[in-house]
Every structure is written in structure tokens, then in C-alpha cells.
Amino acid sequence: MGPRRGGLWSLLFVLQMAAEAAASQPCNKKYFCPDCIVCVCNRTYCDTQDPVVLPRPGFFVKYESSKSGQRLERSEGIFQDKSFVPDVLLTLDTSKKYQFIQGFGGSITDAASINVLSLTPNAQENLLRSYFSEQGLEYNLIRVPMASCDFSTRTYSYADWPDDFALRNFSLVDEDVMMKIPLIHRAKAMAKKPISLYASPWTSPIWMKTNEDWKGKGSLKGEPGGRYYKTWANYFVRFLDEYAKRNITFWAVTAENEPTAGLMWKYPFQNLGFTAEQQRDFIAEDLGPALANSSHKNIRLIILDDNRINLPYWAKVVLDKDSKAYRYVHGIGVHWYADFISPIEMTVGATHWRFPDYFIISTEACTGVHFWEKGVALGSWDRGETYSRSILSYLNNHIAGWIDWNIALDLQGGPNWVRNFVDSPIIVDAANDIFYKQPMFYHLGHFSKFIPAGSQRVGLTLVKKWQMCSLEHVAMIRPDGAAVVVVLNRAVFPPLSPLQNLNNYVTGWTDWNLALDTEGGPNWSRNFVDSPVIVDAANNVFYKQPMFYHMAHFSKFLPEGTQRIGIENSGWTDLEYSAFLRPDGSAAVIILNRSTKDVPFGISDPGVGYVSAVATANSIQTYLWRRPMDDVEKPKPHSPGPDQ
């Protein structure tokens, strides 16, 4: 295969004729670093995508986004003779059929609404069209918080009058009537396909809670079946009634957003704690009957709406046939924030196999949420890849849909009343009446635009000839009979290379196994990995891999006693580099170019002269020259340790 680069493709293979596609508008690019590209939109211009048009029989359409700047760029190709076999072959297997897809979308929170409405009317239209129209991502799912959440500017519920068990003072607020509801109507008006909405509560009115506070550890007072639980269930119905009066109906509600949050001491924003057992009993005795006996009896009820680490236990408790709750439940919602400690096969996969009649849907995700991350990272391709990897992993494990968090945030990642700032696919700069479409936006588009509701996942077999293949993929059959394959090519590099470590005061770098077999072992637990040298004992040969030669650029030229020295960059580059003085007085400079393009550069040593050079694409180079011995510093002896 050729040089590898970060990229994402959506391919449509179709069985019918269609009209020509309308011309799309290209991305107006702005760079925040060499690979940090956003598309800038304002009231007069915004990039658009073609409405999906199926090609002629025997042809396919490819949409590509890449780290180098492509954004859903369309091209056509023709199917080739079967005799051609590439290094990596993906084979569609439509005999294997899996879950049907509900869709993809985002959340219209108070914060998102504030940001959209902070733009001038034409810029607002461009933003909403980017998400919901045929010229955009064609979102078909919208999540709506029931009253306030952390992405609000204040705390409120719809029934803040104490002890109002009859909910006589229940009423929507300005955030609903003036912001969220008008935006939902505008989104639905510009969408060609139906939009499904679901609602999630963060907290009850605080007079219903054990701690009588918005945050901290708190649950409903009393017990399931009691008046607090009954009132809270009726609160759901009243919310749906009030939105219905304004011509908005909901496809689903979740029983509670992140119910485990309310079980934590000092939790920093709105919550309402439930254990799995409490949610089961609340649904069985209160919420389920309240919805079933209302005019919203056809609404879907989703349980959990929390991190997947709670599965499959949560589902086992709530959906057990011995409980009365299972008959009211339709689906299970999961969040992605603890995915790194909860393998998908052991959580989502295990839940699907035990409860195949309930859909599972990813109900919230965002980047920049962890304490070690920056809230907004403009133009981050890595965050876009994180989205695609999550969606592909979830789709390949029976998820029916994937919903992003805020559809728009400001430059800080808010507003958020507890300063819990995060990132978003669209970032609004209200002062300049512009908004930025980030790589996350286009990564989401590779799914939302081409996999409509009613699509079904089918088998996709990988014939892997190239050992280092890092493709991730999924295949769907759409309701119109077209096939869709989404492929992510994610360049895989070590989290910290020797070069990065050395630039951060590391004094050495030791690889793991010197040599492994062609499987990556032996290893008694089958924890197979890679190695710079791979041994094929059956043929009495071994293979030196690229890792071997990358290591040599350090081990061969940086002997013990070498000292790292300063090296300054006089311009903007994505090259990685480090400089050293060897014990023999010579200088060594190591240059790494991970990009797919050649990069001209120079090296200046005031004591010697100037080198004009080119770092070829995807290369590592080591430069070595003699220089005056005056700069050589003898290494200091190590201080003896406690055992010496």
C-alpha cells in the first residue's frame, strides 16, 4: 500500500439510476496548526454537501475526509474485474444481518441554543442547515434536556414551587419557549426526513430530593409508589403535554440522565440518583404506568442513559422477567465517558446477547471532558477520529444510533454554569458572527448523511494481507437498497516515540521483546503484540520491520554519555526533532516527518555552518557532523542509590 494518512471514507454502492448531484460549496479553511483545520462559516457563506445521489449501476460514489483538509469530498469510480485482489480486501456479506439503525444526531441544550441565537439570522440558518438539511449532515435525532443541566446558565426546573404535588404551577420557561422550541421547529422545517426527538431529565425540583439541592448526593424522597415518585412520573407527562401544545412530540424519553451521578458525594451539577433497583421499581410502579395511561402511550422509554460500565448489570436488574418494569421499556441508553475502562464486548455486546429485543443507543458523547484535556481544541483531527472510532465500534456491537452532546458551543466550550467546558463539532465566535465546523462535524457526517433510519448493518469480512493494516469499518444496507461502507484509516503511532520522550528529559528508551513469532507471541494469555523483529521459524527467516530501523536512528548514533542540547524552530512546522552533542564532540540531529508531504527545512550550527535539507514524506533522518570540542560537557556521575 502507499503512504498512510489519516482519512475517512464513505462509499455508496447502488442498484438504481438517479439525477445528477447539485454542486456543493467548498470549505473555507482556517488553520490553527498545520493539521488543525476548521471550515469557517458566516451569514453570507458556508460550505455545503451534495444531497445524496445514487450513481449508475456498476459505479460507486466515494466521500472522503482527511487530516490534510478534504471534507466530505465526492468522487465516482467503477467496479473492477474480480481478478484484481488488493493488499486489503473488504467483502460484503449480506447474508449476515444485524441491527436496524435509528439514526444520528445531537443535543439542543440551553447552551447550544444560546450560541446558535447569538449569530445573525442568516448565520443561524447556515448553522442549522449544516446539521439538518440535505445540504448538511441530515441529522435525524435530537436530544432535549428536560429543564436545566450543566449546560445552562442557571438552575431551574418546571415546578419549583415547594410541595406542589399536583403540579399546578408546572410551566415551561423562556429557555424552552424562546430558544429550544423555536430552534426545533426550524430544524424540522429544513429537514427532508422525519426528525425524532427524545428528552432526558437531569434533576427533579429540589423540594422532591433528599438533599434538597441541585447538586451533590441526592435521590427522590420516599419510596417507589409514594407521592414523590408519583409526582415525578407525572412531571414527565406534563413536560410532554406542554411541548405537544407547541406542536412538538417526542419519540422517546430516558428515565434519568446518568442516574449514578446522584449517588456520588459532592457531584458538581444537576443530578437525581437511582440505583438499578430503584429505577426498576420507579418504572414499574410510577413512570411506566403514567406514560401508558397518558396521551403519550406510544413513546419509547429508555433506561440507564449512563456510562456503559454499568452494563450488563443494570439491564439484568431492570429487564428481568420477574420485575414489572420490563414491559414498559424499549431501549437502553449508554454514554461513552468511561469507555476506556469498560470493553464494549463485555458491556454492550453482552447486554445485546442477553436482551436482543431491546435496542441499545449511544445517547451522549463529547470530547474535552477529562481534567487533563483542553475544553475546545480548534481543528483537532484526533478528536474527529475519536468520534469515528467510537461510532464504528458501537455500530459493530449492535448499537442502533449515536447522539452527540451540544450541537454548538462558544470559544470557551460553554456557557456552562459550573464551568464544565467541553468541545463541540461547531464552535461559535459570536463577536465576529462566524462559526467553525471542526473535524468532528465531518466525521459525524460520514455516518449521519449516508446511513438513514431503517438501514441495517450487514457482514463485512476483512481479508488482511498487510500485517500493519489499521482500517476500521462497517457496512450497511440502506432502505433504498444501496450499500454503504464506512472506512477509517487511522495512522497508528506510539503515544510517545523515543523522540518525544527524549525531548522531555528521558535518559533512555527500551523496547519490549527483541523478537516475536508471526502471531506476536508466544504468550500464554494470547496477549499478542508486535516487535521490531518477527521470526518465521518454519522457513528459518526473520523480518526486520520499520520499527527496527526507527530505533536504529537513535541507538546507533546516540551513544551513552550523549547530551541533549537546545534547538530552536524559526518557523511553523509539523516536523519533530531533537539535537544532541555526542561524547566525541560531534553533533547529531534527528528529524521525524509524519506527514504525507515532503518538507524543506534547514539546520544552522553557528559554529560550523548551514545545511539545506528536505524531510521526505513519512521519513526519519539522522544528521551527524563534527564541531568544536569546546561545547562538550562531561556527563555527571550518577548519585549512588540506597543499595550502593
Side-chain angles (χ1 to χ4, degrees), residues 7-8 11 50 65 88-89 187 235 303 325 329 366 426 489 534 588 606:
L8 185 65
L11 306 177
D50 298 325
S65 298
V88 177
L89 179 64
Y235 183 104
I303 63 168
V329 176
C366 68
I426 285 182
N489 180 16
I534 295 296

Side-chain angles (χ1 to χ4, degrees), residues 256-264 274-277 279 303-318 332-339 341-344 346-351 354-355 360 394:
E256 173 61 34
N257 172 76
E258 296 184 355
T260 61
L263 306 177
M264 303 178 191
F274 286 88
T275 63
E277 292 76 10
Q279 186 168 94
I303 63 168
L304 189 55
D305 198 17
D306 204 336
N307 292 314
R308 75 186 190 199
I309 196 172
N310 294 287
L311 294 175
Y313 174 77
W314 199 279
K316 290 178 182 178
V317 171
V318 178
I332 304 161
V334 293
H335 294 186
W336 82 339
Y337 303 110
D339 283 5
I341 57 171
S342 50
I344 194 166
M346 297 170 61
T347 52
V348 174
T351 302
R354 187 178 179 99
F355 301 102
I360 309 176
Y394 273 112

Side-chain angles (χ1 to χ4, degrees), residues 480-609:
D480 58 14
V484 179
V485 174
V486 182
V487 180
L488 173 66
N489 180 16
R490 185 177 58 90
V492 180
F493 297 105
L496 279 178
S497 69
L499 196 59
Q500 292 168 308
N501 277 284
L502 291 170
N503 281 330
N504 285 277
Y505 304 99
V506 167
T507 60
W509 203 91
T510 308
D511 191 29
W512 190 205
N513 299 278
L514 284 173
L516 294 173
D517 62 25
T518 53
E519 193 175 26
N523 183 293
W524 73 270
S525 62
R526 302 188 64 79
N527 179 31
F528 301 127
V529 296
D530 211 343
S531 171
V533 170
I534 295 296
V535 174
D536 181 356
N539 293 301
N540 197 32
V541 297
F542 62 90
Y543 306 119
K544 292 181 180 179
Q545 301 216 77
M547 289 181 284
F548 179 90
Y549 297 96
H550 274 261
M551 284 290 298
H553 277 270
F554 301 90
S555 64
K556 190 169 181 65
F557 304 108
L558 305 180
E560 184 178 1
T562 296
Q563 183 176 27
R564 183 168 68 90
I565 58 175
I567 183 169
E568 295 182 359
N569 176 18
S570 62
W572 189 30
T573 180
D574 56 358
L575 296 180
E576 299 172 46
Y577 46 82
S578 196
F580 303 88
L581 278 181
R582 294 161 32 111
D584 61 9
S586 61
V589 171
I590 301 174
I591 306 289
L592 176 65
N593 181 12
R594 299 199 199 198
S595 76
T596 58
K597 298 177 182 179
D598 295 350
V599 178
F601 71 101
I603 303 173
S604 176
D605 184 344
V608 180

Side-chain angles (χ1 to χ4, degrees), residues 122-285:
N122 286 345
Q124 294 175 28
E125 286 297 296
N126 281 337
L127 192 155
L128 293 172
R129 273 197 295 266
S130 294
Y131 274 126
F132 300 105
S133 77
E134 277 191 321
Q135 289 74 41
L137 302 191
E138 301 187 51
Y139 272 13
N140 75 310
L141 291 176
I142 296 176
R143 187 187 193 204
V144 182
M146 288 171 55
S148 68
C149 66
D150 52 324
F151 281 91
S152 299
T153 56
R154 64 188 183 98
T155 54
Y156 65 89
S157 80
Y158 301 130
D160 287 332
W161 194 270
D163 299 327
D164 184 11
F165 293 101
L167 299 177
R168 293 188 180 89
N169 297 293
F170 185 103
S171 65
L172 300 181
V173 296
D174 286 347
E175 285 86 344
D176 297 279
V177 178
M178 305 299 294
M179 297 195 304
K180 289 187 284 190
I181 289 174
L183 288 178
I184 292 169
H185 280 302
R186 290 166 67 180
K188 294 179 73 173
M190 60 180 57
K192 294 293 184 181
K193 298 171 184 174
I195 289 180
S196 297
L197 289 86
Y198 71 97
S200 301
W202 264 245
T203 180
S204 68
I206 60 174
W207 57 267
M208 296 185 187
K209 295 179 65 176
T210 53
N211 64 341
E212 297 192 347
D213 195 357
W214 302 105
K215 50 189 174 57
K217 182 179 180 181
S219 304
L220 285 174
K221 295 176 180 177
E223 300 293 334
R227 62 176 182 169
Y228 287 98
Y229 279 79
K230 293 292 184 190
T231 303
W232 180 231
N234 290 333
Y235 183 104
F236 281 71
V237 176
R238 287 295 306 274
F239 169 82
L240 297 171
D241 287 343
E242 294 302 318
Y243 265 70
K245 292 175 184 177
R246 293 159 175 84
N247 297 315
I248 292 178
T249 57
F250 284 82
W251 161 70
V253 292
T254 70
E256 173 61 34
N257 172 76
E258 296 184 355
T260 61
L263 306 177
M264 303 178 191
W265 289 105
K266 297 184 179 180
Y267 196 79
F269 53 85
Q270 296 95 318
N271 65 76
L272 185 63
F274 286 88
T275 63
E277 292 76 10
Q278 288 170 331
Q279 186 168 94
R280 174 198 62 200
D281 296 343
F282 170 53
I283 290 171
E285 299 189 37

Side-chain angles (χ1 to χ4, degrees), residues 11-16 54 79 91-102 104 395 447 450-460 474-486:
L11 306 177
L12 282 94
F13 314 102
V14 292
L15 310 174
Q16 63 187 63
L54 307 182
F79 280 93
T91 301
L92 215 65
D93 185 355
T94 56
S95 68
K96 295 179 179 178
K97 293 182 169 61
Y98 304 98
Q99 79 274 23
F100 284 95
I101 300 302
Q102 181 64 37
F104 304 88
L395 290 176
F447 302 92
F450 308 110
I451 305 175
S455 298
Q456 185 175 22
R457 181 168 69 92
V458 295
L460 188 63
V474 74
M476 300 278 172
I477 299 296
R478 293 158 41 107
D480 58 14
V484 179
V485 174
V486 182

Side-chain angles (χ1 to χ4, degrees), residues 587 603-610 625-631:
I603 303 173
S604 176
D605 184 344
V608 180
Y610 179 83
W625 65 89
R626 294 181 184 274
R627 66 184 323 278
M629 287 291 292
D630 297 342
D631 292 337

